[in-house]
Amino acid sequence: MTASGDTRDIVLVNGPIHYDILIPIDIARRDMGWLAAHGVALDNPDVHWLLVGWGARDFYTTTGTYADVSARAIWRGLTGDSAVMRISVAGAVGSEWRHVGLDPAQMARLTAAISGSFAQGAATRPLDHPGFSEFDRFFPATGRFHLFNTCNVWVGQMMRDAGLQFGFWTPTPYAVSLSYWRFHGG
């Protein structure tokens, strides 16, 4: 779905095991501008999107690539780990990703739900961790990550919190992709 009229796109981006959400940078500046005080490059002219994701603390903070995943991170991901928010920025993206159009009320609900995922809202301070790139920041998040409450479940919940139709339970990337296809014509 592409943007038209008052509708604006968000983008669902995926890797082999994980989905993130891209929010248009002007909306991110307006609704989550407090992130700039923590080094998130919201005003960089090359930035078009704010990347947000939710996941297991051990996985996010001990893994550089999938080859680096430790047995401890896998175990904690299955049995329970503290959750963190991953925040980063991105330039232009192509049409190969999953675009979803939101009206202004849906966008406001989405950014409010994402903001509510930070452990202490705007008062949250980033973790002292370098991230996967120079643009990454990790923040304590609400909830616990485990086998039945994954990053992909969080993405589905954010979509439903925005008022969009989406799968009831989306524990895997395939479940997110299937929900996108079923409800958003992907």
Side-chain angles (χ1 to χ4, degrees):
M1 186 180 289
T2 58
S4 63
D6 285 345
T7 302
R8 296 286 304 278
D9 280 4
I10 61 166
V11 181
L12 302 177
V13 295
N14 68 298
I17 63 171
H18 175 83
Y19 262 92
D20 288 310
I21 301 171
L22 296 179
I23 305 292
I25 198 65
D26 61 316
I27 305 254
R29 265 189 235 111
R30 182 192 72 206
D31 294 353
M32 297 186 292
W34 60 270
L35 291 167
H38 301 295
V40 179
L42 298 178
D43 292 323
N44 182 322
D46 296 326
V47 169
H48 297 254
W49 302 94
L50 178 71
L51 178 143
V52 294
W54 180 95
R57 183 178 177 132
D58 263 15
F59 182 85
Y60 268 145
T61 61
T62 63
T63 304
T65 67
Y66 289 121
D68 300 328
V69 177
S70 69
R72 173 191 158 109
I74 292 170
W75 179 252
R76 296 220 38 207
L78 293 172
T79 62
D81 194 2
S82 299
V84 295
M85 296 293 295
R86 176 185 175 210
I87 300 297
S88 195
V89 293
V93 298
S95 60
E96 71 275 10
W97 299 109
R98 290 166 172 83
H99 292 247
V100 180
L102 280 72
D103 66 33
Q106 291 168 327
M107 189 70 77
R109 287 193 299 267
L110 176 66
T111 57
I114 290 169
S115 293
S117 297
F118 288 83
Q120 300 162 359
T124 300
R125 300 281 178 238
L127 302 175
D128 185 18
H129 186 274
F132 302 120
S133 77
E134 66 180 287
F135 302 109
D136 284 349
R137 299 293 180 273
F138 295 101
F139 295 82
T142 60
R144 289 197 50 84
F145 184 100
H146 53 78
L147 180 62
F148 301 107
N149 191 35
T150 66
C151 49
N152 301 303
V153 168
W154 178 85
V155 167
Q157 186 63 55
M158 294 301 102
M159 299 295 282
R160 290 187 304 278
D161 286 353
L164 298 168
Q165 286 189 307
F166 219 71
F168 175 73
W169 188 49
T170 54
T172 65
Y174 181 72
V176 173
S177 296
L178 189 60
S179 292
Y180 172 81
W181 173 78
R182 178 163 188 242
F183 295 110
H184 300 283

